[in-house]
């Protein structure tokens, strides 16, 4: 009986503190489709989101003349609640002029 109480207390109190959350950030490019295929449009915007290029259409308004393209993705650790900002892209953290390899 005591074993069952101890096991229940472990799962209710200690297990949530040991778990770690993570999420994925996607860099999306939203481009206006051009009516002329010979002269493609250069009008675009970059968006960082936790939704991929397929899911983004269902949650945010995207015009019929706009196309959402997947550019990059990276993993972040922690929670996304309480409107916290998304973690930055770690690939952009390395200075271009320095060589990280010895």
């Amino acid at each position: 009986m005591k074993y069952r109480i101890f096991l229940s207390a472990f799962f209710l109190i200690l297990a949530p503190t040991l778990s770690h959350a993570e999420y994925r950030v996607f860099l999306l490019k939203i481009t206006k489709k051009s009516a002329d295929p010979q002269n493609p449009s250069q009008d675009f915007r970059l968006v960082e989101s936790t939704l991929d290029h397929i899911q983004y259409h269902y949650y945010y308004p995207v015009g019929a003349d706009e196309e959402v393209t997947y550019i990059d993705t990276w993993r972040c650790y922690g929670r996304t609640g309480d409107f916290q900002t998304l973690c930055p892209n770690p690939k952009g953290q390395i200075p271009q002029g320095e060589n990280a390899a010895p």
Side-chain angles (χ1 to χ4, degrees), residues 1 17 20-21 24 35-36 43 47 52 59 61 72 77 82 86 88 102:
M1 181 70 174
T17 60
H20 300 285
R24 186 160 288 282
D36 182 16
D43 188 22
V47 176
D52 64 15
Y59 288 94
D72 196 9
Y77 298 100
D82 300 326
L86 302 174

Side-chain angles (χ1 to χ4, degrees), residues 3-59:
Y3 178 71
R4 184 178 283 173
I5 293 171
F6 175 74
L7 191 59
S8 298
F10 175 76
F11 283 115
L12 293 175
I13 297 170
L14 297 178
T17 60
L18 298 175
S19 63
H20 300 285
E22 65 181 41
Y23 61 97
R24 186 160 288 282
V25 177
F26 295 91
L27 179 63
L28 305 174
K29 181 179 180 180
I30 302 176
T31 311
K32 285 216 178 261
K33 294 179 186 176
S34 177
D36 182 16
Q38 299 296 331
N39 188 13
S41 174
Q42 298 296 325
D43 188 22
F44 69 90
R45 66 184 189 270
L46 296 176
V47 176
E48 288 183 355
S49 174
T50 57
L51 303 172
D52 64 15
H53 63 288
I54 298 169
Q55 297 169 338
Y56 193 83
H57 288 282
Y58 298 109
Y59 288 94

Side-chain angles (χ1 to χ4, degrees), residues 61-93:
V62 176
D65 63 337
E66 292 181 325
E67 181 179 37
V68 181
T69 309
Y70 163 83
I71 301 294
D72 196 9
T73 186
W74 59 93
R75 187 182 340 177
C76 301
Y77 298 100
R79 298 186 54 180
T80 59
D82 300 326
F83 301 103
Q84 293 179 357
T85 59
L86 302 174
C87 72
N89 189 343
K91 297 172 191 166
Q93 301 282 328

